[in-house]
Amino acid sequence: MRLPLRGGNWNNGSNCGPFALNLNNNRSTSHWHVGFRSALAPIRQKPHGQGCADGTGAKGNRLPPLANEGNSSSPRAASSESERGTGATWKGTMPKAAKNLWEKILAWDNLLKAAKEASRNKRFCAEVLRFNANRERNLLHIQAMLRSKQWKTGPFRAFYVFEPKQRLIHAPSFGDRVVHHAIVQQVGPFFERRFIDQSFACRIGKGTHAASEYLTAMLRSAKSKWGNVYVLKADVTKYFYSIDHEILMRIVSRTIGDPDVLDLLRVIVCQCGCIEGNRGLPLGALTSQLLANAYLDQLDHFIKDELGVKYYVRYMDDFILLHHDKKELWRLLAEIRDFLTWKLRLTLNQKTRVFPASHGVDFAGYRHWAEYRLPRKKNMRRAKKRFAGLSRQYAAGRVELEIVRCCVASFVGYTKHCKGWKSAESSLSKLVLIRKSEEIPE
């Protein structure tokens, strides 16, 4: 007769019996540290795969332990269909909404720090010079306008950027950027503690290179575990211009509980003046980056906590899932598509697809395999054209050597993070610096 084990593992396929008795595990898998739970209390099962890809929970630290994860071939294999249908979630302790932030935003030290941060690398721009010429007076004016609730967003400067593709940018005025920095300095940490570790865009200590390294480690771990790996690569169509204002403010109110701060954020979101209707955030504002991350953080927790996906990474509106079963990825895609449509009112790009990892994964500026990374082909083609154009401009005397040196340093910095020395050599061969000699008068 098999004796019941007290304090066994609650995270297997079935709930514990009365008084936390578990007959589903061998003795070697029982954990005395789980403790005792009364059968009179309602029992909620924590979904499988809620933890991060590194096994440290939704706020994990590093990826390296990822290769030593458990042996379950499907993170969701033990979950029942009824649990998925009801959307059962883990009701753990969540951070409370932050309050008493208004006076911290209006504090003089916070505004002064915001002005310095907004001036970083732009000190000699005409707009910044004008503001800093009377910085104390301008900051006092901003402080008074905020305190009296009369502050409104100013006009945006609209322009296009063409790399990596054409985008319309709305840059706020310098005074508005100071306000944005003052807000983010105070509310940013409260959003940050809710973000999962697999989100890499617009966060301190993250970025494209960290996202690229994380994906490489994911591919290496999945390949060593399964052999054949398939990739679900997806991105949201026109993400910034598709964000619903009301849904966004409901999401923000779960993190920020100060009504004055919420009113200010609503002014920034809904009354920016550069986007018509009740959807969209302006590309170019610091607050847009933070709020856009908070908006898709709902998707992050749905994928990690509800769907139980182990191998997942996101960089703003681009995200990657790995699995050994192609059909499972298509099923996950259907659930993700429904969640985005009904919960966030977003749609996925037509380029969303499932393919073998052996084809290479284009993400965060590089092409990824389990063993190495390569630069993007279109980046190499663009670099060749750029260097050929610099050669012509330098020969004509329209570009100084310092500009050329900066372009080369940027390119070398990009290629040194991947196995791209041959591509770099080919691109740099287009750079020939010969200045035409001036004609000598007769």
Side-chain angles (χ1 to χ4, degrees):
M1 177 179 178
R2 183 180 177 187
L3 296 176
L5 304 176
R6 292 187 178 274
N9 186 354
W10 295 343
N11 294 322
N12 59 356
S14 301
N15 280 322
C16 298
F19 299 98
L21 301 184
N22 191 340
L23 304 179
N24 298 295
N25 294 330
N26 296 325
R27 290 180 180 273
S28 60
T29 61
S30 63
H31 303 292
W32 58 84
H33 63 274
V34 173
F36 178 87
R37 179 165 59 175
S38 172
L40 300 178
I43 297 175
R44 289 187 182 273
Q45 180 180 353
K46 183 176 180 179
H48 286 264
Q50 178 177 355
C52 297
D54 56 5
T56 57
K59 295 294 285 185
N61 295 320
R62 302 286 298 177
L63 177 69
L66 185 118
N68 299 323
E69 287 286 330
N71 297 323
S72 173
S73 61
S74 176
R76 195 64 175 172
S79 300
S80 64
E81 291 296 330
S82 61
E83 180 183 349
R84 277 203 300 269
T86 57
T89 57
W90 173 246
K91 301 298 183 181
T93 302
M94 291 297 292
K96 296 182 179 179
K99 299 180 179 180
N100 303 319
L101 294 175
W102 182 244
E103 290 301 326
K104 294 180 180 179
I105 292 176
L106 299 185
W108 176 257
D109 290 342
N110 185 58
L111 292 175
L112 185 60
K113 180 181 178 182
K116 293 179 179 179
E117 289 296 323
S119 302
R120 189 186 298 274
N121 300 325
K122 301 180 180 68
R123 290 184 302 163
F124 300 107
C125 295
E127 185 181 20
V128 180
L129 289 173
R130 286 194 299 269
F131 185 94
N132 288 333
N134 295 287
R135 184 170 60 182
E136 289 76 12
R137 180 184 299 175
N138 291 327
L139 290 180
L140 287 172
H141 175 71
I142 290 175
Q143 187 183 54
M145 295 294 289
L146 289 172
R147 192 178 298 278
S148 63
K149 307 297 179 63
Q150 297 179 0
W151 183 86
K152 302 293 181 183
T153 57
F156 286 76
R157 180 171 60 90
F159 60 93
Y160 285 94
V161 296
F162 298 93
E163 292 185 8
K165 61 182 180 181
Q166 181 175 329
R167 299 178 188 270
L168 177 60
I169 306 298
H170 290 94
S173 63
F174 183 76
D176 288 358
R177 293 206 299 270
V178 172
V179 176
H180 295 172
H181 277 274
I183 295 171
V184 171
Q185 286 169 181
Q186 296 301 323
V187 307
F190 296 98
F191 284 101
E192 186 68 27
R193 68 185 183 180
R194 290 176 177 260
F195 294 160
I196 69 171
D197 200 49
Q198 289 77 20
S199 173
F200 285 88
C202 305
R203 297 176 64 189
I204 297 175
K206 302 286 188 176
T208 55
H209 295 311
S212 176
E213 292 173 1
Y214 193 93
L215 176 57
T216 302
M218 275 175 47
L219 289 167
R220 188 179 300 115
S221 174
K223 184 177 181 180
S224 65
K225 181 177 180 180
W226 295 321
N228 292 329
V229 180
Y230 290 92
V231 180
L232 166 58
K233 184 178 185 295
D235 66 281
V236 180
T237 303
K238 296 182 178 179
Y239 174 51
F240 273 82
Y241 296 105
S242 302
I243 295 176
D244 186 277
H245 294 167
E246 291 303 319
I247 296 176
L248 174 62
M249 293 309 302
R250 286 201 299 268
I251 293 171
V252 170
S253 64
R254 299 172 195 165
T255 303
I256 306 300
D258 191 316
D260 293 323
V261 179
L262 288 175
D263 289 342
L264 179 58
L265 288 174
R266 186 174 290 276
V267 170
I268 294 175
V269 170
C270 303
Q271 302 178 17
C272 64
C274 61
I275 299 176
E276 297 181 358
N278 62 343
R279 294 168 72 94
L281 294 177
L283 275 171
L286 181 64
T287 51
S288 296
Q289 299 174 8
L290 176 65
L291 297 177
N293 254 341
Y295 200 77
L296 273 189
D297 180 62
Q298 312 304 304
L299 174 66
D300 294 340
H301 286 283
F302 174 74
I303 292 176
K304 297 297 292 185
D305 302 347
E306 293 284 341
L307 301 182
V309 176
K310 175 181 176 182
Y311 296 108
Y312 169 73
V313 62
R314 179 175 69 85
Y315 191 89
M316 196 51 76
D317 60 332
D318 297 335
F319 57 93
I320 301 289
L321 285 77
L322 304 181
H323 204 273
H324 66 91
D325 187 354
K326 184 189 295 187
K327 293 182 180 179
E328 176 66 10
L329 286 179
W330 283 113
R331 185 191 69 79
L332 291 173
L333 175 59
E335 295 200 33
I336 291 171
R337 197 187 301 274
D338 289 343
F339 178 84
L340 290 174
T341 301
W342 298 108
K343 297 295 184 180
L344 300 179
R345 298 183 183 176
L346 299 174
T347 58
L348 292 178
N349 197 299
Q350 294 180 353
K351 296 183 293 184
T352 299
R353 60 194 180 102
V354 176
F355 58 92
S358 58
H359 293 179
V361 185
D362 192 341
F363 181 72
Y366 299 93
R367 292 178 292 150
H368 299 78
W369 285 264
E371 298 81 11
Y372 57 89
R373 281 171 288 180
L374 293 177
R376 280 177 172 169
K377 292 183 178 180
K378 61 182 180 181
N379 289 352
M380 293 297 101
R381 290 194 295 267
R382 188 181 298 117
K384 289 181 179 180
K385 292 181 180 179
R386 173 65 169 164
F387 288 142
L390 283 175
S391 298
R392 293 191 297 269
Q393 292 178 352
Y394 183 81
R398 295 194 297 269
V399 172
E400 297 298 328
L401 185 61
E402 185 63 27
I403 301 297
V404 177
R405 186 180 291 112
C406 292
C407 293
V408 172
S410 176
F411 176 73
V412 172
Y414 165 73
T415 56
K416 76 175 184 180
H417 291 278
C418 62
K419 191 177 179 181
W421 63 271
K422 288 186 177 180
S423 300
E425 183 179 356
S426 175
S427 298
L428 290 172
S429 65
K430 302 296 182 180
L431 183 62
V432 180
L433 301 179
I434 301 177
R435 179 152 290 181
K436 295 180 180 179
S437 58
E438 298 180 357
E439 295 183 2
I440 303 177
E442 296 181 359

